[in-house]
Coordinates of all heavy atoms in Angstrom, one line a residue:
A10 N 1.2 5.6 0.1 CA 0.5 6.8 0.7 C -0.7 7.3 -0.1 O -1.7 7.7 0.4 CB 1.5 7.9 1.0
C13 N -4.2 6.0 0.6 CA -4.9 6.4 1.8 C -6.0 7.4 1.5 O -5.8 8.3 0.7 CB -3.9 7.0 2.8 SG -2.7 5.8 3.4
C15 N -9.5 9.8 2.9 CA -10.1 10.4 4.1 C -11.4 9.8 4.5 O -12.2 9.4 3.6 CB -10.3 11.9 3.8 SG -8.8 12.9 3.6
E20 N -11.9 16.0 5.0 CA -11.6 16.3 3.7 C -10.1 16.3 3.4 O -9.3 16.5 4.4 CB -12.2 17.7 3.3 CG -11.6 18.9 4.0 CD -12.3 20.2 3.6 OE1 -13.2 20.2 2.7 OE2 -12.0 21.2 4.2
C27 N -5.7 14.7 6.1 CA -7.2 14.8 6.2 C -7.5 15.7 7.4 O -6.9 15.5 8.5 CB -7.8 13.4 6.4 SG -7.5 12.3 5.0
P29 N -10.8 17.6 9.6 CA -12.2 17.5 9.9 C -13.0 18.6 9.1 O -12.5 19.7 9.0 CB -12.3 17.7 11.4 CG -11.0 17.9 12.0 CD -10.0 17.9 10.9
G33 N -20.7 23.5 10.3 CA -21.6 24.0 9.2 C -21.4 23.3 7.9 O -22.0 23.7 6.9
E37 N -20.0 13.0 3.2 CA -20.4 11.6 3.3 C -19.4 10.7 2.6 O -18.9 11.1 1.6 CB -21.8 11.5 2.8 CG -22.8 12.3 3.5 CD -24.2 12.1 3.0 OE1 -24.4 11.6 1.9 OE2 -25.2 12.4 3.7
G40 N -13.0 8.9 1.0 CA -12.4 9.4 -0.2 C -12.0 10.8 -0.1 O -12.1 11.5 0.9
G42 N -11.9 14.8 -1.6 CA -13.0 15.8 -1.9 C -13.1 16.7 -0.8 O -12.5 16.6 0.3
C44 N -15.6 19.2 1.9 CA -16.8 19.1 2.7 C -17.9 20.0 2.0 O -17.5 21.0 1.3 CB -16.5 19.6 4.1 SG -15.3 18.5 4.9
V45 N -19.1 19.7 2.2 CA -20.3 20.4 1.6 C -21.0 21.3 2.7 O -21.2 20.8 3.8 CB -21.3 19.4 1.0 CG1 -22.5 20.1 0.4 CG2 -20.6 18.5 -0.1
C47 N -23.9 22.9 4.9 CA -25.2 22.6 5.2 C -26.2 23.6 4.5 O -25.7 24.7 4.1 CB -25.4 22.8 6.7 SG -24.5 21.6 7.7
N49 N -29.0 26.5 4.0 CA -29.3 27.7 4.8 C -30.3 27.4 5.9 O -31.2 26.6 5.7 CB -29.9 28.8 3.9 CG -28.9 29.4 2.9 OD1 -27.7 29.3 3.2 ND2 -29.3 29.9 1.8
S51 N -29.4 25.9 8.7 CA -29.0 24.7 9.5 C -27.5 24.8 9.7 O -26.8 25.5 9.0 CB -29.4 23.4 8.7 OG -28.7 23.3 7.5
E54 N -21.9 20.1 13.6 CA -20.7 20.2 14.4 C -19.5 19.9 13.5 O -19.6 19.3 12.4 CB -20.8 19.2 15.5 CG -21.8 19.6 16.5 CD -21.8 18.6 17.7 OE1 -20.9 17.8 17.9 OE2 -22.8 18.7 18.5
S57 N -18.6 16.5 10.8 CA -19.9 15.9 10.5 C -19.8 15.0 9.2 O -19.1 15.4 8.3 CB -21.0 16.9 10.3 OG -21.3 17.5 11.6
A58 N -20.4 13.9 9.2 CA -20.3 12.9 8.1 C -21.6 12.6 7.4 O -21.5 11.8 6.4 CB -19.8 11.6 8.7
T61 N -27.7 14.7 7.4 CA -28.7 14.7 8.5 C -28.0 15.2 9.8 O -28.7 15.4 10.8 CB -29.3 13.3 8.8 OG1 -28.3 12.3 8.9 CG2 -30.3 13.0 7.6
D62 N -26.6 15.4 9.8 CA -26.0 16.0 10.9 C -26.2 17.5 10.9 O -26.0 18.2 11.9 CB -24.4 15.7 10.8 CG -24.1 14.3 11.1 OD1 -24.9 13.6 11.7 OD2 -23.0 13.9 10.7
F69 N -35.9 27.9 12.9 CA -36.2 27.2 11.6 C -36.7 25.9 12.0 O -36.4 25.3 13.0 CB -34.9 27.1 10.8 CG -34.4 28.3 10.2 CD1 -33.6 29.2 10.9 CD2 -34.7 28.6 8.9 CE1 -33.1 30.4 10.4 CE2 -34.2 29.8 8.3 CZ -33.4 30.7 9.1
D73 N -34.1 17.3 9.5 CA -32.6 17.5 9.5 C -32.0 17.1 8.1 O -32.4 16.1 7.6 CB -31.9 16.8 10.6 CG -32.4 17.3 12.0 OD1 -32.8 18.4 12.1 OD2 -32.2 16.5 12.9
R75 N -32.4 18.4 5.2 CA -33.3 18.5 4.0 C -33.8 20.0 3.9 O -33.8 20.7 4.9 CB -34.5 17.6 4.1 CG -34.2 16.1 4.4 CD -33.6 15.5 3.2 NE -33.4 14.0 3.4 CZ -32.3 13.5 3.8 NH1 -31.3 14.2 4.0 NH2 -32.2 12.2 4.0

Side-chain angles (χ1 to χ4, degrees):
C13 296
C15 295
E20 65 182 357
C27 297
E37 297 181 344
C44 299
V45 178
C47 293
N49 288 338
S51 65
E54 294 184 12
S57 293
T61 53
D62 290 337
F69 289 82
D73 294 335
R75 308 286 186 265

